Amino acid sequence: MIPSSDYQSPSLSPISGRDCLTLAEFSPEEIKLILGEAAKLKALRRARVPFQPLRGRTLAMVFQKPSNRTRVSFEVGMYQLGGHALNIKPDEIQMGKRETPSDTGRVLARYIDAIMVRTFDHAELEELADAADVPVINGLSDTHHPCQALADLLTVQENFGTLEGVRIAFVGDGNNVAHSLAIGCALTGAQLTIAHPEGYAPDPEVVELAASLGAAPKLTNDPEEAVSDAQAVYTDVWASMGQESEAEERKQRFLPYQVNGKLMSLTADDAIFLHCLPAHRGEEVTPEVIDGPQSRVLDQAENRLHAQKALLYLLLS
């Protein structure tokens, strides 16, 4: 518990006014700062100590893709920090259809203090961010999911006291979640192995980017090799939003990559299980694992709130 009188907030945030489109925009020290602030804000929330540095500030939340956790965690986070969040639905904004992403960014920036965008095309997000002169946060794109990765790293750090050298295995599709996790691990010293079926490897450009930031993830097609002695095992749905037409084919391709009790038996004694949710029990993970004692998925979901609050606070300080 942190009494409010003892809480020392940064007088000048080194990331104030910047965007968060990927975690690669931050240095290892800045990632450490965000995670540290997230832990402090989580302790304040648990102690019910009010901390409202963003009074009078407004966040626009642009949803091209709907999401329960993203909307609730950002909206509640802004409220807890003393600010306000505005939800903009796809049929209201029609970004890229009724107006260009750059026009959307320029106009919204005249009204509000920050923009969160959850969309498909990462290039559209970059176009909007280039035009907007307020911080833009990637709530998810087809290529990156940095807010999820911050919550993932915070959860691992809570369980092991550090990220340096922690062995993490991601089992499944080399998608946006795996991409941001790879960048986050490279910046924090965690050791990541990604086990994926043939044809579903992470984007080589992201792997190369992770290597330039610290370390590339180890890639394998063998899930047993990936989880052997791992301290955290992470998986995601086999068919994400927008991939519904591939669902049946993916079920066949990904079946050997299901995280079940047998696979978890190969991990370290203190291993935890992670999933970004929503989960399909009986597909990518069995109920015994996701609902079992090693699961930290609810902590991980809660940490979206604390990690994003830290990000908002530091970007808007």
Side-chain angles (χ1 to χ4, degrees):
M1 180 181 298
I2 302 176
S4 58
S5 59
D6 294 341
Y7 180 66
Q8 299 295 320
S9 59
S11 57
L12 180 62
S13 165
I15 65 171
S16 178
R18 286 161 54 181
D19 297 326
C20 175
L21 305 189
T22 77
L23 291 187
E25 291 141 1
F26 302 120
S27 68
E29 293 74 21
E30 290 166 345
I31 294 293
K32 185 177 180 180
L33 172 67
I34 296 168
L35 297 178
E37 288 299 315
K40 292 176 184 176
L41 293 176
K42 184 173 184 177
L44 286 179
R45 178 61 187 164
R46 291 285 174 88
R48 292 293 190 267
V49 176
F51 181 66
Q52 300 188 320
L54 300 187
R55 283 189 293 274
R57 314 294 285 278
T58 302
L59 170 72
M61 304 187 299
V62 177
F63 283 97
Q64 299 285 79
K65 278 185 176 181
S67 170
N68 179 30
R69 271 163 299 283
T70 298
R71 178 184 175 183
V72 174
S73 56
F74 268 108
E75 189 166 336
V76 171
M78 278 299 287
Y79 173 78
Q80 291 179 0
L81 291 170
H84 173 70
L86 181 68
N87 182 30
I88 304 175
K89 300 176 182 177
D91 59 344
E92 294 172 331
I93 197 162
Q94 297 188 41
M95 188 171 69
K97 296 178 181 176
R98 192 166 63 188
E99 65 180 359
T100 65
S102 60
D103 281 350
T104 299
R106 276 193 287 259
V107 171
L108 286 178
R110 296 295 182 101
Y111 303 142
I112 48 77
D113 300 289
I115 307 170
M116 187 284 295
V117 182
R118 183 177 167 93
T119 189
F120 294 88
D121 187 351
H122 192 79
E124 282 193 351
L125 175 66
E126 292 177 326
E127 182 181 339
L128 184 150
D130 284 343
D133 58 1
V134 298
V136 175
I137 299 171
N138 181 0
L140 176 142
S141 68
D142 282 352
T143 313
H144 295 279
H145 200 354
C147 293
Q148 181 63 57
L150 288 173
D152 303 338
L153 295 171
L154 180 60
T155 308
V156 173
Q157 184 173 270
E158 287 176 338
N159 276 270
F160 299 103
T162 183
L163 289 164
E164 183 72 36
V166 176
R167 301 179 298 278
I168 303 173
F170 184 93
V171 180
D173 191 5
N175 58 12
N176 48 4
V177 173
H179 288 166
S180 290
L181 184 65
I183 294 171
C185 288
L187 290 167
T188 59
Q191 300 174 12
L192 178 64
T193 300
I194 299 176
H196 62 86
E198 290 281 358
Y200 297 91
D203 186 329
E205 290 188 6
V206 174
V207 174
E208 186 176 335
L209 175 60
S212 72
L213 296 170
K218 181 180 178 181
L219 305 183
T220 178
N221 298 132
D222 184 348
E224 293 190 359
E225 176 190 346
V227 306
S228 179
D229 206 31
Q231 294 168 280
V233 177
Y234 194 153
T235 192
D236 190 6
V237 293
W238 291 339
S240 300
M241 196 177 300
Q243 298 171 332
E244 290 81 0
S245 62
E246 305 172 21
E248 288 306 314
E249 178 187 353
R250 282 174 172 259
K251 282 182 183 179
Q252 300 304 315
R253 297 294 304 275
F254 282 81
L255 187 58
Y257 294 82
Q258 181 188 69
V259 178
N260 49 38
K262 180 182 176 184
L263 201 65
M264 290 297 291
S265 70
L266 303 175
T267 64
D269 292 340
D270 59 349
I272 61 174
F273 171 74
L274 301 172
H275 193 302
C276 53
L277 300 178
H280 295 166
R281 287 169 172 77
E283 293 187 8
E284 76 273 8
V285 61
T286 56
E288 65 177 325
V289 173
I290 192 170
D291 300 319
Q294 294 172 287
S295 178
R296 298 292 183 274
V297 299
L298 296 182
D299 294 336
Q300 190 183 3
E302 178 189 340
N303 283 339
R304 286 287 303 273
L305 170 67
H306 307 299
Q308 290 162 191
K309 282 175 65 177
L311 189 61
L312 287 165
Y313 169 49
L314 292 168
L315 293 179
L316 293 175
S317 291

